[in-house]
Amino acid sequence: GVKLMRFSNGGHLLAAAQGEYVHIFSMRSFRKAVTLQGHAHTVVALCFNPEDSCLWTCDSSGQMIQWDPLSGDQLSELPAARVEHLAISSGSSSQVTCSVKHGNKAFVRRMQHCVLEFEQELPSNISYTSLCQF
């Protein structure tokens, strides 16, 4: 079943994660627009960029994919990284910030086109399960 859903910032799209698939629905027509296929493991985090021109998805293996939510085209990808994604937030079409756990350590990472741009380790008793950019 569906375990994770996110509305686009404009409210016109709804992304619903079902296992390794993400279904995009149009809220204008109430029909499925596209199904995103590219993950081999369960999708655990997703977010739209502020303009709703990109959707970022992360799976349980640590793989991250940037999509065009209207065409379903894959724009960029970070292969499985053996991290647990706790939260993800996008501030632009090419940039995303995520909270991850790797073993017993937690980090905040900023990615540009799925390439690590910045990483900050968090104190041992802290991990972020929600992120917001503005």
Side-chain angles (χ1 to χ4, degrees):
V2 173
K3 303 276 184 187
L4 177 64
M5 296 182 356
R6 292 287 182 271
F7 278 101
S8 62
N9 295 295
H12 61 291
L13 299 174
L14 174 66
Q18 182 180 28
E20 61 269 6
Y21 302 104
V22 177
H23 307 286
I24 307 289
F25 296 91
S26 167
M27 294 293 93
R28 294 182 179 132
S29 68
F30 296 106
R31 295 177 193 232
K32 183 166 43 171
V34 68
T35 297
L36 308 177
Q37 301 179 30
H39 287 285
H41 296 88
T42 302
V43 174
V44 296
L46 49 86
C47 73
F48 286 91
N49 72 319
E51 298 83 26
D52 298 327
S53 60
C54 295
L55 175 72
W56 297 85
T57 59
C58 302
D59 74 17
S60 58
S61 74
Q63 180 187 29
M64 178 187 294
I65 302 177
Q66 179 187 16
W67 307 89
D68 179 317
L70 298 178
S71 70
D73 292 338
Q74 200 171 318
L75 303 175
S76 62
E77 175 184 2
L78 174 68
R82 296 184 184 170
V83 297
E84 177 186 359
H85 285 92
L86 303 174
I88 186 168
S89 178
S90 178
S92 73
S93 62
S94 62
Q95 191 177 75
V96 67
T97 301
C98 51
S99 171
V100 300
K101 285 188 84 169
H102 187 267
N104 61 353
K105 295 183 178 185
F107 302 88
V108 171
R109 293 180 173 171
R110 185 173 60 233
M111 313 291 282
Q112 183 85 16
H113 293 292
C114 287
V115 175
L116 183 63
E117 192 175 70
F118 171 82
E119 178 178 78
Q120 176 66 50
E121 185 174 350
L122 299 172
S124 61
N125 60 340
I126 294 176
S127 61
Y128 296 132
T129 57
S130 182
L131 295 171
C132 178
Q133 292 189 9
F134 49 93

